[in-house]
Amino acid sequence: MSEIPPSRTATAEAPVPGVAPEVVTTSLEPTATSQGPVAPQPGATPSVASQASESAAAPTPAPTSLATVPNDDVEPQNPLTEKFIPAEWTALKEFRSKLPETFSEAFPDKPDAGTTPYNMWGVRIDPVNPKDARVSVVLMKFLRARNLNPAEAKEMLISTLRWRQSFNVEGAMEEKFPDEVFGKLGKVYGKDKQGRPVTYNLYGANKDLDAVFGDVQRFLRWRVAFMEESIVLLDFETVDQLVQIHDYEGVSMSSRTENSKNAASEASSIFQSHYPEFLSRKFFVNVPSFLTWIFWLFKPFLSAATLAKMSVVGSGHRALGSALLPIIDRHELPKQYGGVAEGF
């Protein structure tokens, strides 16, 4: 039930053991606007009166304050945007200038789509007035997922906007899912040392696979809703990524049903295509030895950036703590993973 297929960028999720992989501102210098007193003609001796008159006629202008000069290049900043490099700002400005047509193409049935703000992940994106630090953080996710190519980022954003509408993401978040089926499968608990929320996917928590995967579309609505609820915890000012822990305790070979493989594949496609750059680190823990081969099988298809975010961990407090405690403080990490928190 992992959601990480091979992909060309670090946006992909990793393959899931036991199931088919879910495949500058610029400154203005003030310029002089007045001429000095007229120089006397040869042979002429200027009088005191004439000097006073000339001085009064050509007063020296007051210095211009740079702070009052309008500057269209000034960008609203927050701790995340302050980390953008020049190449990212260049790509962002081009990408942002295309937002009206991007929204129009995404929603062709809405005549005013190119001028209507859209709310996504708690951030209001106004295509007409998009200069906002949090908007910049969201747009940068699409750019980074497409190697800072504004044209490709535009296509990805259009696809995501269309998908969110057709999938009815808002409806999925409001849907009531049976707690006895999904209540134990996903947990959000604690933060890492950088303040990122930590989410837990507990694949062996419900042994009734027919209940979980009998309705693949229901499972996908639950999985998207769980992702959206996790993203709500991000402020897009200091934190814009998650840490994921995928726990395979209790998973057996029988977990690979046809429905579970289909669900894993569809979920992988959704997260790869429509949730770019939300992953900070991903840990696969308590992985049975007979499943670890799947990671090696798909390793050649994963980018170096994606692999750098992934770790396959064994079981037991020592192994789990050794892998997780450098990232998550022990007071934020549940006891079953090597920490001291009560957990869930």
Side-chain angles (χ1 to χ4, degrees):
M1 289 172 284
S2 156
E3 302 125 6
I4 304 182
S7 102
R8 61 176 179 174
T9 72
T11 64
E13 306 261 338
V16 178
V19 298
E22 300 173 353
V23 191
V24 191
T25 62
T26 59
S27 61
L28 302 179
E29 294 293 341
T31 57
T33 59
S34 64
Q35 301 292 330
V38 179
Q41 297 299 317
T45 302
S47 65
V48 174
S50 66
Q51 289 177 332
S53 175
E54 290 168 350
S55 176
T60 301
T64 301
S65 171
L66 292 180
T68 64
V69 176
N71 190 338
D72 292 337
D73 286 337
V74 173
E75 291 284 349
Q77 299 280 7
N78 66 27
L80 291 175
T81 62
E82 287 172 354
K83 298 177 182 178
F84 291 0
I85 63 175
E88 291 178 327
W89 279 115
T90 299
L92 175 62
K93 290 175 182 179
E94 180 179 344
F95 183 27
R96 195 171 56 194
S97 71
K98 304 296 184 181
L99 281 180
E101 64 186 72
T102 298
F103 278 35
S104 293
E105 291 180 35
F107 308 113
D109 296 333
K110 297 181 179 180
D112 59 346
T115 58
T116 302
Y118 183 87
N119 291 303
M120 182 164 62
W121 303 319
V123 178
R124 182 177 183 272
I125 305 175
D126 187 339
V128 179
N129 299 294
K131 271 196 173 184
D132 177 274
R134 298 173 77 232
V135 171
S136 294
V137 172
V138 169
L139 296 181
M140 187 57 66
K141 289 182 172 294
F142 290 88
L143 283 166
R144 287 172 175 166
R146 292 297 180 261
N147 299 315
L148 301 185
N149 185 314
E152 293 185 6
K154 173 186 173 183
E155 292 305 312
M156 186 182 191
L157 178 55
I158 289 174
S159 176
T160 295
L161 293 172
R162 290 175 177 173
W163 170 80
R164 291 180 69 85
Q165 182 180 57
S166 63
F167 190 90
N168 188 12
V169 172
E170 299 298 328
M173 292 184 69
E174 295 175 359
E175 188 170 342
K176 301 299 182 182
F177 299 97
D179 189 66
E180 66 275 12
V181 176
F182 299 105
K184 297 180 180 180
L185 295 183
K187 301 290 184 181
V188 181
Y189 187 90
K191 299 179 180 180
D192 75 352
K193 294 180 179 180
Q194 304 301 317
R196 304 181 187 95
V198 182
T199 67
Y200 295 79
N201 291 279
L202 310 170
Y203 294 115
N206 190 342
K207 300 297 190 294
D208 188 348
L209 300 182
D210 288 336
V212 176
F213 299 109
D215 184 338
V216 172
Q217 292 306 309
R218 183 181 69 168
F219 170 81
L220 291 174
R221 292 196 304 275
W222 169 79
R223 186 63 186 87
V224 166
F226 179 58
M227 183 66 170
E228 292 282 330
E229 290 165 3
S230 303
I231 292 175
V232 167
L233 302 176
L234 307 177
D235 60 15
F236 297 96
E237 294 178 354
T238 60
V239 178
D240 69 332
Q241 290 185 315
L242 304 164
V243 173
Q244 296 179 346
I245 295 177
H246 290 237
D247 190 344
Y248 288 83
E249 184 176 7
V251 173
S252 65
M253 289 294 290
S254 62
S255 300
R256 298 191 65 193
T257 65
E258 192 63 29
N259 274 7
S260 72
K261 290 187 287 185
N262 290 337
S265 177
E266 289 194 46
S268 174
S269 177
I270 287 173
F271 293 119
Q272 177 187 350
S273 302
H274 307 307
Y275 291 87
E277 296 294 316
F278 276 100
L279 177 64
S280 172
R281 292 294 303 272
K282 179 186 284 282
F283 297 91
F284 298 91
V285 307
N286 295 320
V287 180
S289 58
F290 64 86
L291 295 177
T292 57
W293 65 270
I294 293 180
F295 293 97
W296 295 105
L297 178 65
F298 285 94
K299 184 177 179 179
F301 301 98
L302 299 174
S303 70
T306 297
L307 287 171
K309 295 181 178 183
M310 295 167 45
S311 298
V312 181
V313 184
S315 59
H317 282 201
R318 178 172 296 182
L320 293 171
S322 177
L324 299 176
L325 287 174
I327 306 299
I328 306 169
D329 186 88
R330 64 193 186 99
H331 295 289
E332 296 283 326
L333 187 65
K335 292 178 180 179
Q336 63 264 43
Y337 298 104
V340 298
E342 289 302 321
F344 41 82

